[in-house]
């Protein structure tokens, strides 16, 4: 018989990972909302051309990583490889520039890229992202960086390095591009990928894993920035310093998506392996127009939930989580099952303030009752589940109108009236 497995590069999420994902979701939502970001949910698949147009034809994502398929009517669709393009599409489609006085949005969801899987790199992964549209000023870049940092900090991920760079604009980037083409053309024995990218996307050569050692005194974008871009980048740095946010300027940071202009950044963590970019983003001043909207300058980021959770796990965040109290309902006589079942249900919905009467906290988990199990095996199960209290329904007590409440730590038992 065929034993089915999850497709390569995907994984089932359960146990601590499921708890972590839920927690990251809760924490991020709280931070996003505090900064007045509102949620937008977009479809998991879109017109494939939306991504080709925005991310760029010569990028790895579009060239070899998109899951593209045709639907029954022959429409070319793609599973979303990232969230920015979809969000901008939704923004234009619903005229949110007219509807919302401030255009700050967030999203959470699964993304799909056909990459070579390894630890921290998957074919289906989750991103939490924020996009601040319609604000050309450097303070928006800084707010976005601080937002990402605040979420990471709430998960005890503080050992991070924030890399920033400016990729300039349509005025100054072509100068840099040409300088790079001239420089790289003089280098012999470039790898096949670099040779291919030299014409189409020379910036990507800067972060080539194979060739980057060969590159000495490479031209930098910093030398080529026009006055406006330079002022913008200087202001971003001044603001970051003014709030005590440490960063490094990294002129090799070019990012794998073509829509960026000016500020780009990556947050790298020492608590994960080689896939150390746990969060990344930047400014995209032309994307809205490029996709048919107004000239609207914007900036955003996305963090990779799996990588963030890996970092949180390695910094011991999960060890300190407050535990829920589990209450185990045990049954000494099968004939009392219906009563015990009703009681468990009342406990869950806290009918008649039953939890307060039994001195239980609000975050309880209720397990049981089970039929046809010996009392010994029920108490064993309660121990395995780490129950804090076991409530026992026994015939003798029940006939008196009472139940036994046992504290599993102290082993003390108390007889409590069912009323
Ligand atoms: P990105 O750098 O492609 O940017 O992805 C952002 C984050 O998603 C990465 O830093 C990483 O943590 C995570 N990530 C990416 N690919 C994978 C993968 N295959 N497996 C696991 N995690 C992954 C974007 O997607 C841009 N849309 C970010 C942005 C928003 N820029 C402006 N606004």
């Amino acid at each position: 018989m065929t034993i089915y497995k999850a497709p390569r590069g995907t994984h089932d999420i359960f146990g601590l990972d499921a708890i972590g994902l839920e927690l990251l979701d809760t924490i991020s939502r709280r931070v996003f909302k505090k900064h007045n970001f509102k949620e937008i949910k977009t479809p998991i698949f879109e017109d494939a051309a939306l991504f080709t147009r925005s991310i760029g034809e010569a990028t790895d994502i579009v060239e070899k990583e998109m899951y593209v398929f045709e639907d029954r009517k022959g429409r070319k669709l793609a599973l979303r490889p990232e969230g920015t393009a979809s969000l901008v599409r939704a923004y234009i489609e619903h005229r949110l520039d007219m509807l919302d006085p401030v255009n700050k949005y967030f999203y959470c969801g699964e993304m799909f890229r056909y990459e070579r899987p390894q630890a921290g790199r998957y074919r289906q992964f989750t991103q939490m992202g924020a996009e601040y549209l319609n604000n050309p000023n450097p303070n928006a870049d800084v707010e976005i960086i601080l937002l990402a940092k605040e979420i990471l900090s709430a998960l005890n991920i503080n050992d991070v390095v924030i890399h920033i760079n400016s990729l300039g604009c349509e005025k100054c980037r072509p100068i840099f591009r040409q300088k790079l083409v001239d420089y790289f053309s003089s280098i012999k024995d470039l790898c096949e990928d670099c040779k291919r990218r030299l014409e189409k996307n020379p910036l990507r050569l800067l972060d080539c894993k194979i060739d980057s050692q060969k590159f000495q005194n490479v031209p930098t974008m910093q030398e080529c920035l026009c006055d406006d871009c330079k002022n913008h980048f200087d202001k971003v740095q001044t603001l970051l310093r003014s709030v005590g946010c440490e960063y490094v300027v990294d002129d090799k940071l070019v990012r794998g998506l073509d829509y960026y202009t000016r500020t780009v950044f990556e947050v790298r963590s020492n608590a994960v392996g080689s896939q150390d970019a746990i969060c990344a983003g930047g400014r995209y001043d032309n994307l809205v127009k490029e996709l048919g909207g107004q000239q609207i300058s914007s900036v955003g980021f996305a963090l990779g939930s799996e990588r963030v959770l890996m970092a949180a796990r390695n910094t011991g965040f999960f060890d300190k989580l407050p535990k829920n109290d589990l209450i185990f309902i045990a049954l000494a006589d099968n004939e009392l099952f219906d009563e015990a079942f009703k009681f468990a249900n009342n406990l869950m919905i806290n009918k008649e303030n039953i939890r307060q009467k039994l001195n239980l906290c609000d975050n309880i988990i209720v397990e049981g009752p089970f039929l046809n199990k010996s009392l010994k095996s029920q108490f064993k199960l309660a121990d395995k589940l780490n129950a804090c209290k076991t409530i026992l329904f026994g015939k003798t007590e029940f006939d008196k109108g009472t139940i036994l409440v046992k504290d599993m730590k102290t082993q003390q038992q108390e007889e409590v009236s069912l009323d």
Side-chain angles (χ1 to χ4, degrees):
M1 202 165 94
T2 313
I3 304 292
Y4 294 102
K5 290 192 165 173
R8 191 165 140 75
T10 70
H11 50 276
D12 302 309
I13 300 166
F14 56 93
L16 205 54
D17 290 337
I19 296 172
L21 212 54
E22 187 193 340
L23 204 71
L24 171 61
D25 195 85
T26 311
I27 290 174
S28 317
R29 277 169 195 278
R30 205 179 56 221
V31 178
F32 286 142
K33 287 179 181 168
K34 187 170 75 178
H35 288 255
N36 199 25
F37 280 71
K38 290 185 229 110
E39 184 168 15
I40 296 191
K41 281 184 193 289
T42 61
I44 272 173
F45 58 89
E46 300 264 3
D47 192 331
L50 171 73
F51 300 117
T52 315
R53 183 85 190 262
S54 51
I55 298 168
E57 253 173 270
T59 57
D60 279 354
I61 297 181
V62 170
E63 266 186 351
K64 45 189 187 192
E65 293 171 4
M66 277 213 297
Y67 281 89
V68 182
F69 60 97
E70 274 189 12
D71 72 3
R72 285 165 197 269
K73 288 260 166 74
R75 300 178 194 95
K76 203 172 163 197
L77 302 166
L79 295 182
R80 61 181 179 197
E82 59 110 46
T84 311
S86 305
L87 193 128
V88 169
R89 194 261 315 130
Y91 177 79
I92 299 167
E93 186 173 335
H94 305 292
R95 296 303 319 258
L96 295 180
D97 55 329
M98 309 284 275
L99 290 176
D100 287 339
V102 180
N103 302 141
K104 292 172 165 181
Y105 307 100
F106 76 88
Y107 53 90
C108 324
E110 284 74 27
M111 308 293 157
F112 304 85
R113 295 184 194 176
Y114 190 83
E115 293 199 77
R116 202 166 45 78
Q118 64 178 85
R121 190 164 67 196
Y122 311 108
R123 290 184 176 167
Q124 177 178 326
F125 57 98
T126 313
Q127 280 187 346
M128 321 271 322
E131 312 291 347
Y132 192 164
L133 286 94
N134 216 352
N135 189 338
N137 301 312
N139 61 293
D141 310 27
V142 175
E143 181 167 347
I144 280 292
I145 294 173
L146 295 179
L147 187 58
K149 199 167 168 252
E150 191 177 331
I151 294 174
L152 297 174
S153 219
L155 290 157
N156 204 21
I157 306 172
N158 295 306
D159 187 14
V160 293
V161 182
I162 301 175
H163 291 244
I164 63 169
N165 193 17
S166 174
L167 295 181
C169 65
E170 59 284 3
K171 265 195 286 171
C172 52
R173 178 125 35 111
I175 303 170
F176 177 51
R177 195 179 187 282
Q178 190 51 52
K179 279 195 177 187
L180 284 181
V181 173
D182 295 345
Y183 170 85
F184 289 128
S185 305
S186 69
I187 293 183
K188 294 187 184 67
D189 58 326
L190 288 174
C191 75
E192 287 310 310
D193 262 353
C194 283
K195 276 187 201 151
R196 195 171 45 83
R197 284 173 172 156
L198 184 57
E199 276 312 308
K200 280 187 175 169
N201 202 350
L203 268 71
R204 295 295 301 165
L205 271 70
L206 288 170
D207 64 0
C208 171
K209 300 274 177 298
I210 304 167
D211 283 344
S212 55
Q213 308 297 333
K214 294 178 199 153
F215 307 153
Q216 305 292 329
N217 303 322
V218 193
T220 68
M221 186 67 226
Q222 310 294 313
E223 304 156 9
C224 308
L225 289 179
C226 63
D227 285 348
D228 286 346
C229 287
K230 188 173 178 323
N231 289 338
H232 186 99
F233 196 42
D234 285 347
K235 188 70 191 163
V236 167
Q237 293 182 61
T238 314
L239 280 172
L240 283 174
R241 283 196 299 272
S242 76
V243 293
C245 177
E246 288 179 19
Y247 62 89
V248 291
V249 175
D250 177 352
D251 30 54
K252 293 230 163 67
L253 181 66
V254 286
R255 310 275 301 116
L257 305 104
D258 279 358
Y259 50 63
Y260 290 113
T261 49
R262 295 193 168 165
T263 318
V264 286
F265 71 97
E266 243 174 50
V267 185
R268 298 186 192 156
S269 160
N270 295 324
V272 290
S274 60
Q275 300 302 310
D276 60 352
I278 57 175
C279 167
R283 180 163 274 290
Y284 47 94
D285 289 342
N286 302 322
L287 182 60
V288 179
K289 184 147 190 226
E290 189 65 25
L291 294 178
Q294 311 282 324
Q295 178 64 49
I296 277 174
S297 305
S298 310
V299 55
F301 79 85
L303 54 81
S305 304
E306 290 79 3
R307 292 186 196 176
V308 167
L309 290 176
M310 208 188 290
R313 192 182 273 226
N314 293 343
T315 54
F317 178 76
F318 292 108
D319 308 340
K320 295 183 215 119
L321 285 184
K323 303 245 177 321
N324 284 339
D325 285 338
L326 190 138
I327 315 295
F328 190 87
I329 314 291
L331 201 58
D333 293 276
N334 274 339
E335 65 187 78
L336 292 179
F337 182 85
D338 290 1
E339 290 299 333
F341 186 82
K342 193 171 91 191
F343 178 84
N345 194 48
N346 286 346
L347 188 56
M348 274 190 245
I349 59 175
N350 200 19
K351 202 170 174 189
E352 290 159 11
N353 291 329
I354 190 167
R355 286 183 211 153
Q356 287 77 351
K357 287 180 189 157
L358 286 172
N359 267 338
L360 303 173
C361 66
D362 278 343
N363 297 336
I364 55 163
I365 299 171
V366 181
E367 185 56 279
F370 290 91
L371 265 175
N372 300 328
K373 260 189 191 297
S374 72
L375 209 49
K376 195 172 161 205
S377 69
Q378 289 182 64
F379 272 103
K380 248 193 189 161
L381 183 58
D383 272 337
K384 271 195 189 154
L385 291 170
N386 241 332
C388 69
K389 288 202 164 97
T390 294
I391 295 178
L392 178 65
F393 278 72
K395 186 95 179 74
T396 326
E397 290 79 20
F398 192 75
D399 287 345
K400 283 194 278 170
T402 61
I403 43 171
L404 287 176
V405 180
K406 181 172 177 183
D407 187 310
M408 300 298 281
K409 230 192 229 149
T410 61
Q411 296 289 315
Q412 300 269 330
Q413 234 168 230
E414 198 188 340
E415 200 166 334
V416 179
S417 157
L418 255 177
D419 291 336

